[in-house]
């Protein structure tokens, strides 16, 4: 498998890959050029639409299905269409996406289509009770669907520690002591358009069952949640952000706790790292991004590589 980007005619990032109808569909962010200076807010990630990619085989031709959803068609959005994900349930396809609302607060929206490549029709309001960034949907074998989300720093998760938005908590990350902030999960309603249960914290713990600490930057959650299932176990994976690893934990149910299992990918070129893990034709693949085509943090390109498990179900570090 050549280490080439999936496509080079546009910049793509944050790939969420799924197999629908026997074909691989990738739901990435669509990066674009901007003059905005790089900052810890992530203002330079100023995306305003989504494209959907598909491929029939790994290494085979990739189809860009064009614009699937754009910011100007979503009534509640002001800017920054960040990392999306998609799900299939009850004959429909759902695109979940984060964006800033008119008050500059990140929320999560959902848009619906009858086909996996879209176009998707957005709901007029964000999902009630949603906040922060990087939604990852997961439909379990029993049909129950979940949405994982959250991201610290520019993703604003630190502003939601009391359950209500506290703007003044935005810059408190440096002072954070004790357990790390935790990603969130909520069960989705049968129609996939709302949360049917409370938003819960997703615990990531060490081998002794202790929550990872906020100072443990090599292992604690930063952003880029993803859920997959392997041999009956639940694998919650994520980016460690400022230390640039993809890491994961293993649990017995969709809510966790997830026991830290190790790294999936060492730092790639570029500040961000974000991924998905999917089984396709009996093999497991990691979709990820780097900045090899641009050399610019905010202009990324999606790639794919095969990953492997050891006999204990641990994911081996991708090579
Ligand atoms: O693409 C914008 C943001 O960069 C995503 O939401 C994060 O996960 C990071 O990849």
């Amino acid at each position: 498998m050549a280490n080439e980007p999936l496509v080079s005619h546009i910049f793509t990032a944050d790939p969420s890959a799924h197999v629908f109808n026997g074909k691989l569909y990738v739901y990435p962010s669509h990066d674009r050029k901007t003059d905005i200076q790089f900052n810890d807010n992530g203002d330079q990630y100023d995306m305003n639409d989504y494209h959907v990619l598909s491929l029939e085989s790994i290494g085979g031709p990739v189809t860009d299905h064009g614009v699937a959803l754009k910011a100007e068609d979503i009534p509640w959005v002001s800017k920054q269409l960040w990392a999306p994900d998609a799900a299939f349930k009850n004959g429909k396809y759902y695109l979940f996406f984060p964006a800033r609302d008119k008050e500059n607060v990140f929320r999560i929206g959902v848009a619906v289509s009858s086909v996996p490549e879209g176009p998707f029709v957005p709901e007029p309001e964000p999902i009630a009770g949603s906040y922060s960034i990087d939604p990852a949907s997961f439909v379990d074998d029993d049909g129950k669907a979940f949405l994982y989300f959250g991201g610290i720093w520019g993703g604003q998760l630190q502003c939601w520690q009391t359950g209500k938005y506290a703007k003044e908590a935005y810059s408190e990350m440096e002072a954070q002591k004790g357990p790390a902030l935790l990603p969130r999960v909520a069960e989705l309603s049968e129609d996939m358009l709302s949360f049917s249960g409370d938003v819960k914290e997703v615990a990531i713990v060490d081998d002794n069952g202790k929550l990872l600490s906020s100072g443990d930057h090599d292992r604690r959650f930063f952003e880029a949640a993803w859920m997959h299932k392997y041999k009956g176990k639940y694998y919650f994976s994520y980016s460690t952000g400022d230390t640039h690893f993809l890491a994961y934990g293993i649990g017995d149910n969709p809510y966790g706790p997830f026991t830290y299992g190790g790294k999936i990918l060492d730092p790639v070129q570029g500040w961000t790292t974000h991924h998905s893990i999917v089984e396709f034709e009996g093999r497991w693949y990691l979709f990820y991004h780097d900045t090899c085509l641009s050399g610019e943090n905010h202009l990324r390109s999606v790639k794919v590589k095969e990953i492997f498990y050891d006999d204990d179900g641990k994911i081996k570090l991708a090579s």
Side-chain angles (χ1 to χ4, degrees):
M1 201 184 304
N3 187 29
E4 295 297 323
L6 253 51
V7 294
S8 56
H9 65 292
I10 55 172
F11 290 109
T12 55
D14 311 323
S16 295
H18 292 273
V19 178
F20 294 137
N21 311 319
K23 214 160 130 175
L24 268 167
Y25 285 86
V26 183
Y27 300 84
S29 299
H30 175 201
D31 288 350
R32 63 171 181 158
K33 293 188 176 152
T34 162
D35 293 333
I36 300 168
Q37 287 300 303
F38 189 91
N39 60 34
D40 284 348
N41 264 342
D43 290 343
Q44 65 281 12
Y45 299 95
D46 187 34
M47 300 83 103
N48 69 352
D49 65 17
Y50 294 112
H51 285 223
V52 177
L53 309 176
S54 71
L55 49 164
E56 303 211 0
S57 62
I58 298 287
V62 177
T63 303
D64 173 1
H65 295 275
V67 175
L69 179 65
K70 49 185 192 296
E72 68 189 59
D73 293 339
I74 313 167
W76 61 270
V77 165
S78 63
K79 61 179 180 178
Q80 290 181 299
L81 292 185
W82 282 10
D85 189 19
F88 174 72
K89 188 164 166 161
N90 299 334
K92 288 185 186 162
Y93 297 86
Y94 299 87
L95 186 73
F96 297 96
F97 57 92
R100 284 186 195 263
D101 67 13
K102 310 279 186 200
E103 273 79 49
N104 247 346
V105 177
F106 272 110
R107 303 277 181 184
I108 296 169
V110 57
V112 187
S113 177
S114 55
V115 288
E117 67 271 24
F120 291 85
V121 177
E123 290 292 293
E125 300 287 342
I127 296 174
S130 73
Y131 52 86
S132 197
I133 60 167
D134 291 0
S137 53
F138 172 71
V139 183
D140 208 347
D141 301 329
D142 61 5
K144 283 189 180 167
F146 301 87
L147 199 70
Y148 298 84
F149 58 95
I152 62 174
W153 292 18
Q156 301 178 342
L157 188 59
Q158 66 274 20
C159 299
W160 291 93
Q161 295 179 64
T162 62
K164 287 207 165 65
Y165 183 67
K167 192 177 178 192
E168 61 282 5
Y170 182 76
S171 48
E172 277 175 13
M173 288 310 302
E174 292 300 320
Q176 198 87 35
K177 298 266 186 300
L181 291 180
L182 297 173
R184 306 290 202 260
V185 62
E187 190 171 342
L188 287 159
S189 55
E190 191 52 28
D191 66 5
M192 300 289 270
L193 303 179
S194 62
F195 294 158
S196 63
D198 293 341
V199 172
K200 296 182 186 351
E201 293 184 330
V202 177
I204 306 169
V205 298
D206 64 16
D207 282 340
N208 300 316
K210 196 169 168 240
L211 287 169
L212 299 184
S213 73
S214 53
D216 187 352
H217 289 217
D218 277 358
R219 299 194 299 173
R220 60 95 170 87
F221 173 82
F222 189 101
E223 62 186 5
W226 185 256
M227 171 57 61
H228 77 277
K229 209 169 170 180
Y230 175 75
K231 293 193 173 171
K233 295 279 189 190
Y234 295 80
Y235 288 65
F236 179 80
S237 50
Y238 55 95
S239 162
T240 63
D242 56 333
T243 48
H244 318 287
F245 296 112
L246 291 177
Y248 74 100
I250 302 178
D252 292 324
N253 68 74
Y255 292 107
F258 298 95
T259 304
Y260 180 83
K263 292 169 187 161
I264 303 169
L265 188 68
D266 276 331
V268 292
Q269 184 182 330
W271 200 97
T272 67
T273 187
H274 190 129
H275 69 299
S276 59
I277 294 171
V278 67
E279 185 179 20
F280 183 57
E281 297 179 342
R283 290 167 179 255
W284 286 88
Y285 295 97
L286 175 74
F287 285 78
Y288 65 106
H289 68 227
D290 67 20
T291 60
C292 71
L293 282 189
S294 73
E296 304 259 13
N297 281 327
H298 65 293
L299 298 176
R300 302 160 291 179
S301 298
V302 168
K303 294 180 168 180
V304 58
K305 54 173 73 182
E306 189 169 1
I307 54 166
F308 301 91
Y309 301 83
D310 70 16
D311 292 344
D312 296 327
K314 291 277 185 84
I315 300 175
K316 296 183 182 175
L317 184 67
S319 55

